[in-house]
């Protein structure tokens, strides 16, 4: 009897051939399955949609109260009968049901993220390596940041703009990073602003609870919005415009030949205001005088304005003699006389309002009309007053600043950073609405606003660009509307015409001289004006 040979052990080559055959078989099966799926995809979509429609019908029937199921069945039967009787009704009904099923059964899976390309991945890797010295801990057993580590674990979300630079980035950082310290935050923000691309403004949102930092590139604010009438109520002043994500309100504005809606930074003044006075700081040419002119044009709609210009440049000459403009003073003697009258007027309003309340009457109309005191560069007057042995004009602002809200008196002070030390303590204490314009070191911006802005500013900013903070609220990016001096030769014809249209008519000749004493007599004929006249005579 012949002996059957024993099976041989597979050699190395035969094992590789077997694995290759198995791989080819799997590939053929996968290809066949994909082909069948492509061919039967419409049928699969319609079947899935019919199942979803049937499930929705069962849920609707289960949610319908029992006393309403009879009318519902009658309605369904009526529709079915109508479809049967209408010509081509069944065909149209089938087509409608199939279309609805196809829509419900469509593939709603979001497209898979393809991820960054090679250049984008290189940028993210460079950012990760730059952040290692700030976020790495020597005693961390499983460090999230390490040289040569995986950047995709630290950057949970990222987007790039058309130029290939980072436009949005969500960064995870360790829990032991001191994110509550402003200095630690500032170091990271400066690094990201430099590495992600200079020449852009970045918004930094620190989530201390979730240990995440969101970096967003901000679009530039429109710097060519001209002065115009704003849709506001009495007591509201538009300081400028900001980002749409910061405020919910928008204003319709004329932007060239178009009408656009722009989010404003609105400052509320008056008796119910929590920040009745404003302080604006900036570098020379940053636009603080432009801000004061814009505020003056808006204030003249409902109140009176007193302007004291310490710069001596005549940038407010266009307001001289206009209706509602009590005075435009550029000399020390006139400034002292005007501010002395403003202090007395504030006291008079307080007394008149108190007497009216004691008698049960409403406040007199002249106390309800807003009075605005605009003081540009008071440090110049402080230096001149010290040289001549006179009183600092800022000392006369003590009464309007402390009691201005009750008397409906608003004070706006603008000064440059070079003369910031010349501001009195009363001005610093009572001006809680703050504006910083132009490029300035972060420590100066923080000293004025009381906190660091959440954005990284550019080195060169257009005039009127900066930050605004009203009281203890958030810090907003700000762009002041373009309100130049219409008498300046460098002003364009369009801007000049826009400002001239907002000016009230001239009621007093421009060469009539100081009108502070006359304003006192008009406001209250019984008020003595000897002090104002004496101060004017000294000049």
């Amino acid at each position: 009897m012949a002996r059957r040979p024993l099976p041989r052990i597979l050699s190395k080559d035969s094992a590789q051939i077997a694995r290759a055959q198995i791989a080819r078989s799997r590939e053929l099966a996968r290809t066949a399955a994909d082909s069948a799926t492509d061919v039967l995809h419409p049928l699969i979509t319609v079947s899935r949609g019919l199942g979803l429609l049937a499930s929705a019908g069962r849920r609707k029937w289960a949610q319908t109260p029992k006393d309403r199921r009879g009318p519902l069945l009658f309605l369904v039967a009526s529709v079915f009968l109508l479809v049967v009787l209408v010509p081509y009704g069944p065909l149209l009904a089938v087509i409608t049901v199939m279309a609805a099923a196809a829509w419900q059964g469509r593939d709603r899976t979001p497209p898979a993220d393809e991820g960054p390309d090679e250049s984008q991945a290189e940028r993210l890797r460079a950012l990760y390596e730059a952040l290692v010295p700030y976020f790495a801990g020597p005693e961390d057993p499983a460090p999230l940041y390490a040289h040569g580590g995986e950047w995709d674990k630290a950057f949970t979300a990222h987007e790039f703009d058309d130029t290939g630079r980072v436009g949005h980035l969500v960064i995870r950082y360790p829990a032991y990073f001191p994110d509550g310290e402003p200095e630690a935050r500032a170091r990271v923000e400066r690094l990201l602003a430099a590495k992600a691309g200079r020449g852009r403004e970045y918004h930094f949102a620190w989530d201390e609870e979730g240990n995440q930092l969101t970096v967003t590139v901000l679009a530039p604010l429109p710097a060519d919005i001209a002065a115009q009438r704003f849709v506001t109520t009495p007591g509201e002043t538009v300081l400028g415009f900001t980002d749409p994500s910061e405020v919910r309100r928008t204003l319709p504005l004329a932007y060239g030949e178009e009408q656009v809606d722009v989010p404003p930074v609105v400052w509320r003044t008056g008796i119910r205001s929590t920040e009745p006075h404003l302080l604006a700081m900036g570098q020379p040419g940053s636009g603080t005088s432009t801000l004061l002119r814009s505020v003056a044009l808006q204030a003249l709609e409902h109140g009176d304005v007193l302007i004291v210009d310490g710069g001596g440049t005549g940038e407010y000459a266009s307001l001289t003699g206009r209706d509602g403009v009590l005075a435009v003073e550029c000399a020390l003697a006139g400034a002292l006389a005007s501010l002395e009258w403003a202090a007395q007027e504030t006291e008079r309003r307080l007394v008149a309002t108190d007497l009216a309340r004691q008698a049960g009457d409403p406040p007199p109309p002249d106390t309800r009309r807003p009075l605005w005191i605009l003081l540009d560069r008071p440090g110049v007057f402080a230096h001149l007053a010290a040289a001549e042995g006179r009183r600092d004009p800022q000392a006369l602002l003590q009464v309007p600043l402390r009691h201005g809200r009750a008397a409906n008196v608003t004070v706006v002070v603008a000064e440059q950073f070079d003369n910031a030390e010349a501001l009195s303590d009363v001005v610093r204490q009572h001006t809680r609405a703050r504006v910083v314009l132009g490029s300035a070191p972060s420590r100066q911006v923080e000293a004025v606003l009381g906190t660091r802005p959440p954005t990284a500013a550019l080195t060169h900013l257009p005039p009127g660009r900066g930050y605004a903070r009203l009281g203890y609220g958030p810090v907003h990016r700000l762009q002041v509307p373009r309100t130049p001096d219409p008498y300046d030769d460098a002003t364009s014809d369009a801007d000049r015409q826009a400002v001239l249209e907002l000016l009230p008519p001239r009621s007093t000749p421009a060469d009539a001289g100081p009108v502070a004493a006359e304003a006192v007599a008009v406001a209250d004929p019984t008020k003595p004006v000897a002090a104002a006249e004496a101060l004017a005579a000294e000049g």
Side-chain angles (χ1 to χ4, degrees):
M1 181 176 181
R3 182 177 299 177
R4 178 177 295 178
L6 295 174
R8 295 182 304 171
I9 299 175
L10 293 177
S11 63
K12 181 178 181 181
D13 296 337
S14 60
Q16 291 179 352
I17 294 173
R19 285 196 297 268
Q21 291 177 352
I22 294 173
R24 282 198 300 269
S25 301
R26 290 177 178 175
E27 185 67 24
L28 290 175
R30 189 180 299 108
T31 303
D34 293 341
S35 301
T37 303
D38 294 338
V39 173
L40 301 177
H41 184 268
L43 182 60
I44 295 174
T45 301
V46 173
S47 302
R48 188 190 304 120
L50 290 175
L52 293 176
L53 291 177
S55 300
R58 287 194 297 269
R59 288 195 303 270
K60 183 65 177 178
W61 177 260
Q63 294 175 358
T64 303
K66 293 184 178 181
D67 56 343
R68 295 184 181 180
R69 292 183 178 180
L72 181 61
L73 286 175
F74 178 76
L75 178 62
V76 172
S78 301
V79 172
F80 179 78
L81 181 62
L82 181 63
V83 169
V84 172
L85 296 178
V86 171
Y88 304 103
L91 178 60
L92 295 177
V94 171
I95 293 175
T96 303
V97 172
M98 292 296 104
W103 176 258
Q104 290 292 331
R106 70 189 188 278
D107 189 7
R108 304 182 184 182
T109 304
D113 189 7
E114 298 180 357
D117 55 21
E118 185 177 354
S119 61
Q120 295 173 353
E122 186 64 27
R123 282 182 174 269
L124 295 176
R125 190 177 298 107
L127 277 175
Y128 174 83
E129 293 291 338
L131 291 173
V132 169
Y134 298 90
F135 290 150
E139 299 179 357
D140 193 349
L144 181 62
Y145 288 84
H147 292 292
E150 300 179 1
W151 59 265
D152 53 349
K153 294 183 179 180
F155 302 155
T156 58
H158 50 79
E159 295 178 5
F160 292 84
D161 56 13
D162 298 336
T163 61
R165 295 192 295 179
V166 177
H168 178 78
L169 188 64
V170 179
I171 303 173
R172 292 177 54 203
Y173 58 87
Y176 52 77
F177 176 75
D179 51 4
E181 299 179 4
E183 295 79 7
R185 287 189 177 190
R187 289 193 296 269
V188 175
E189 292 174 1
R190 285 195 298 267
L191 173 69
L192 291 173
K195 293 295 184 180
R198 298 184 183 273
R200 301 184 298 175
E201 290 189 77
Y202 297 89
H203 181 271
F204 302 99
W206 292 83
D207 182 8
E208 300 181 13
E209 184 177 359
N211 298 323
Q212 284 190 349
L213 170 61
T214 304
V215 184
T216 307
V217 178
L218 299 175
L221 295 177
D224 51 352
I225 297 180
Q228 53 191 283
R229 296 294 182 192
F230 303 118
V231 184
T232 56
T233 59
E236 292 184 343
T237 303
V238 177
L239 299 178
F241 311 102
T242 185
D243 300 300
S245 59
E246 297 296 326
V247 295
R248 300 179 180 178
R249 178 179 178 180
T250 59
L251 291 180
L253 301 177
Y255 189 70
E257 298 180 355
E258 301 178 355
Q259 192 83 7
V260 296
D261 293 335
V262 181
V265 178
V266 178
W267 174 38
R268 292 174 176 83
T269 59
I271 298 177
R272 294 179 177 85
S273 173
T274 57
E275 302 86 21
H277 309 296
L278 174 71
L279 173 63
M281 300 290 295
Q283 302 289 356
S286 59
T288 54
S289 299
T290 299
L291 175 62
L292 260 63
R293 272 191 300 269
S294 177
V295 171
L297 292 177
Q298 298 179 61
L300 287 173
E301 297 183 33
H302 308 286
D304 299 325
V305 176
L306 173 63
I307 302 175
V308 178
D309 182 14
T313 57
E315 295 190 2
Y316 306 95
S318 60
L319 296 171
T320 303
R322 303 284 180 176
D323 289 346
V325 180
L326 303 180
V328 178
E329 299 292 348
C330 300
L332 177 59
L336 291 172
S338 299
L339 295 179
E340 178 70 23
W341 171 82
Q344 296 177 359
E345 172 66 10
T346 304
E347 295 175 352
R348 185 195 68 82
R349 290 186 175 209
L350 291 175
V351 173
T353 303
D354 185 63
L355 293 177
R357 290 175 179 174
Q358 291 181 9
D361 298 329
D366 58 347
T367 61
R368 294 199 300 266
R369 182 172 176 82
L371 173 61
W372 291 73
I373 304 173
L374 307 182
L375 183 56
D376 192 1
R377 299 194 62 186
V380 177
F381 283 140
H383 177 73
L384 294 176
E388 299 180 9
R390 294 190 178 187
R391 190 179 185 183
D392 187 357
Q394 296 181 76
L396 299 173
L397 293 175
Q398 183 173 0
V399 175
L401 286 172
R402 289 185 175 179
H403 308 288
R405 180 173 59 182
N408 216 351
V409 177
T410 302
V411 179
V412 180
V413 180
E415 187 54 274
Q416 297 179 1
F417 282 113
D418 299 339
N419 295 329
E421 68 279 357
L423 292 175
S424 63
D425 294 338
V426 177
V427 173
R428 298 173 182 270
Q429 180 180 0
H430 293 280
T431 52
R432 290 193 298 269
R434 301 293 180 87
V435 173
V436 177
L437 299 180
S439 300
S442 58
R443 63 179 183 277
Q444 290 185 344
V445 178
E446 184 178 2
V448 177
L449 300 179
T451 184
R452 292 180 56 86
T455 61
L458 301 175
T459 306
H460 302 286
L461 295 175
R465 271 285 285 110
Y467 300 99
R469 189 188 188 195
L470 305 179
Y472 300 101
V475 179
H476 300 288
R477 285 203 307 166
L478 179 70
Q479 176 62 53
V480 178
R482 204 169 53 207
T483 316
D485 180 12
Y487 293 167
D488 190 358
D489 296 337
T491 303
S492 63
D493 295 337
D495 292 342
R496 180 181 295 106
Q497 187 62 30
V499 175
L500 292 177
E501 290 178 356
L502 298 178
L503 289 174
R506 194 184 299 274
S507 59
T508 304
D511 56 351
V515 297
E518 297 179 7
V520 177
V522 172
D524 187 5
T526 62
K527 198 72 176 179
V529 297
E533 292 177 350
L535 289 171
E538 292 181 6

